[in-house]
Amino acid sequence: MGELNMYRQLGIKPNFTEIGRKYGLDRRTVAKYWRNGDEVEDHRRDKASAFDEFRDVIEQKASLPGVTKRAIYEFLLHRHPDAGLPKYGSFTKYCRNRRIECAPTAEVDAHPRFETPPGRQLQFDWKEGLEMVDVNGEVFEFNVFSAVLGYSRAHRFIYSRTRTEDDLLACLLATFVRFGGVPEEAITDNMGALVTFSGGRRTRSERAWRFAKEAGFELKLCRVSTPQTKGKDESANRFVNRLRAYDHDFEGERGLMDAIARIEARSNSEPNETTGLPPAVLFMKEKEHLRPIGNMRLLQDMVGNVSVQRVPATMLVRAAGRQWSVPRACIGKDVHVIAMPSGQVRITLDGETVAVHDASAAAGPINYAEDHYVEAMSGKSWFGDSDIREAARANLDLLDKLGGE
């Protein structure tokens, strides 16, 4: 209609056939638009859509800072797997027709693509200072370790409460275990866990570089103020923005970890916009070029005091002279319990972090995370109709007092 109006203002009759070919319309349809002017409307957007049922949710999520359309679409697929939702292209068209827009993102400087051969490079960084609220109103402040292999774009996202050197080395080791090997080099920025600045001089952490040497890769730092040097990981960080769609829609720390794990899985299974293939497909080739991980026991000792324990029915494992809880799904399975120098206790299962505890905040010898305790107590008949979470908190208070009496 805009083009036809231009012809109308100029007093020129347009070529209906040519315009029809341009816009994929029959020349008679174009002629009808010309005759009737703005009175002719395209009612195709009024047709019911599978997304109409979730329009309120879509608009609410679109108003959240940093959320993208892709993030909202992935959230809908996760929460409503049986809704039979169309593909992502249909979702963007739906949003466009309903004029649903996400907040604009900041412009970035252009920089050329830089490709690396299989097994050459890993890029990693922190997505730091994140804050989200769960369904119970509890506020979580956390960080996400983000890593990506340069050739395949295989992603790794790991939840972490803090960003210490202990956390960084633990996340790197978990990444190498998941990938089944190490690249020739790993590149990142001048993060505080790796370097300190004093008097204009940069001092690097000998522990981190020794870890890299023992693991079998070269640790490199990109130049200051040049994040494009590790552009693939900067792009990977955009995937983490999908997490914002879960704000107020997850329960507890475990729910947050599960959401991050799902985003990682989806990121590796959907086609990459540059390669046109899912990272998981290209990773099968890149994996052959990764180097074997160095002395695993030594690397674990460099991260912290590591023990392998089978989880009993109490859901408790031992570390740092106390007992710590894990999710119910870990019962009967072997987990790695890492007591880090910083006082943090990190518990992993098959390379995945399943629980994180802060030993410095422990009140007694037995330490259950509230979510783990609630999960364990769910379905117990002796709770009756009482609120399970409130009952769990009361019992946890009693357990905390064991160490003080």
Side-chain angles (χ1 to χ4, degrees):
M1 290 305 304
E3 184 168 342
L4 291 179
N5 286 336
M6 290 178 59
Y7 280 109
R8 192 172 284 109
Q9 292 173 7
L10 295 172
I12 302 174
K13 184 177 180 180
N15 185 320
F16 298 146
T17 302
E18 184 63 30
I19 293 179
R21 187 181 300 113
K22 181 178 180 180
Y23 292 101
L25 299 172
D26 186 275
R27 66 174 306 280
R28 290 168 293 186
T29 301
V30 178
K32 182 175 66 175
Y33 284 3
W34 173 257
R35 291 193 302 271
N36 295 281
D38 292 336
E39 295 179 4
V40 177
E41 298 182 5
D42 184 358
H43 292 281
R44 287 176 293 178
R45 70 178 59 186
D46 298 332
K47 184 180 178 181
S49 168
F51 297 109
D52 285 336
E53 180 182 353
F54 311 107
R55 180 163 182 171
D56 289 345
V57 175
I58 295 170
E59 292 179 340
Q60 186 267 324
K61 296 297 181 183
S63 67
L64 296 175
V67 171
T68 63
K69 290 180 181 178
R70 171 63 77 171
I72 300 172
Y73 178 72
E74 293 292 338
F75 175 82
L76 293 175
L77 290 182
H78 182 199
R79 292 296 192 224
H80 308 282
D82 300 324
L85 297 176
K87 294 184 177 180
Y88 178 64
S90 298
F91 178 69
T92 59
K93 183 177 180 180
Y94 175 85
C95 291
R96 184 168 60 251
N97 289 341
R98 271 66 175 182
R99 298 182 180 179
I100 300 174
E101 293 293 339
C102 296
T105 56
E107 294 185 3
V108 297
D109 292 334
H111 61 88
R113 296 280 185 181
F114 179 73
E115 299 301 322
T116 53
R120 171 67 63 80
Q121 188 181 89
L122 176 86
Q123 299 178 5
F124 67 93
D125 200 1
W126 288 107
K127 190 70 171 179
E128 59 191 70
L130 299 175
E131 182 179 297
M132 293 178 64
V133 183
D134 77 350
V135 293
N136 299 308
E138 184 175 358
V139 179
F140 288 84
E141 297 179 357
F142 62 100
N143 311 278
V144 174
F145 172 83
S146 169
V148 60
L149 286 171
Y151 173 77
S152 63
R153 272 73 167 180
H155 304 293
R156 188 80 171 98
F157 299 132
I158 303 176
Y159 170 89
S160 183
R161 293 180 183 175
T162 54
R163 294 182 291 113
T164 65
E165 187 176 34
D166 293 344
D167 297 316
L168 178 62
L169 298 187
C171 289
L172 282 172
L173 184 57
T175 298
F176 298 144
V177 170
R178 165 64 70 82
F179 289 153
V182 298
E184 295 178 22
E185 62 183 25
I187 185 170
T188 188
D189 58 18
N190 293 273
M191 61 177 60
L194 293 179
V195 295
T196 56
F197 291 89
S198 179
R201 298 185 60 183
R202 183 176 70 175
T203 304
R204 69 184 194 181
S205 166
E206 293 303 321
R207 178 186 173 200
W209 264 261
R210 185 162 57 90
F211 175 89
K213 181 179 179 181
E214 295 295 343
F217 69 94
E218 183 180 1
L219 182 57
K220 293 184 176 181
L221 301 178
C222 62
R223 290 180 298 168
V224 178
S225 301
T226 58
Q228 63 269 25
T229 308
K230 55 180 181 62
K232 296 186 181 74
D233 192 64
E234 293 294 332
S235 297
N237 280 344
R238 288 198 292 270
F239 283 108
V240 184
N241 287 334
R242 299 183 185 183
L243 188 63
R244 298 187 185 279
Y246 286 86
D247 202 19
H248 297 279
D249 276 293
F250 68 95
E251 185 169 9
E253 190 172 56
R254 182 68 253 169
L256 199 50
M257 291 181 180
D258 290 342
I260 292 172
R262 173 179 169 76
I263 293 170
E264 177 187 300
R266 289 289 299 177
S267 298
N268 287 325
S269 62
E270 62 190 25
N272 178 272
E273 63 180 21
T274 300
T275 65
L277 293 172
V281 173
L282 289 178
F283 175 71
M284 299 308 295
K285 178 179 179 180
E286 183 158 29
K287 185 176 181 179
E288 300 174 357
H289 296 268
L290 295 177
R291 300 174 175 179
I293 304 175
N295 188 321
M296 180 60 72
R297 184 62 194 180
L298 176 59
L299 293 173
Q300 289 176 335
D301 289 341
M302 293 180 70
V303 172
N305 184 16
V306 181
S307 63
V308 180
Q309 302 178 36
R310 179 152 294 184
V311 179
T314 60
M315 299 163 51
L316 293 170
V317 293
R318 293 183 178 274
R322 294 185 174 94
Q323 297 185 70
W324 312 92
S325 67
V326 297
R328 187 173 182 173
C330 296
I331 293 177
K333 299 178 181 179
D334 291 336
V335 296
H336 283 76
V337 185
I338 310 171
M340 299 180 176
S342 62
Q344 186 181 96
V345 177
R346 184 182 291 266
I347 305 163
T348 66
L349 174 64
D350 297 330
E352 289 290 337
T353 298
V354 294
V356 180
H357 296 275
D358 185 1
S360 63
I366 298 176
N367 297 273
Y368 278 99
E370 183 179 308
D371 293 338
H372 299 162
Y373 202 81
V374 170
E375 185 183 25
M377 293 299 101
S378 297
K380 299 294 184 182
S381 58
W382 40 276
F383 269 106
D385 296 328
S386 64
D387 183 273
I388 292 180
R389 187 167 291 274
E390 288 300 321
R393 287 172 179 167
N395 279 271
L396 289 175
D397 287 340
L398 293 176
L399 288 173
D400 288 344
K401 294 176 180 177
L402 290 177
E405 295 181 352

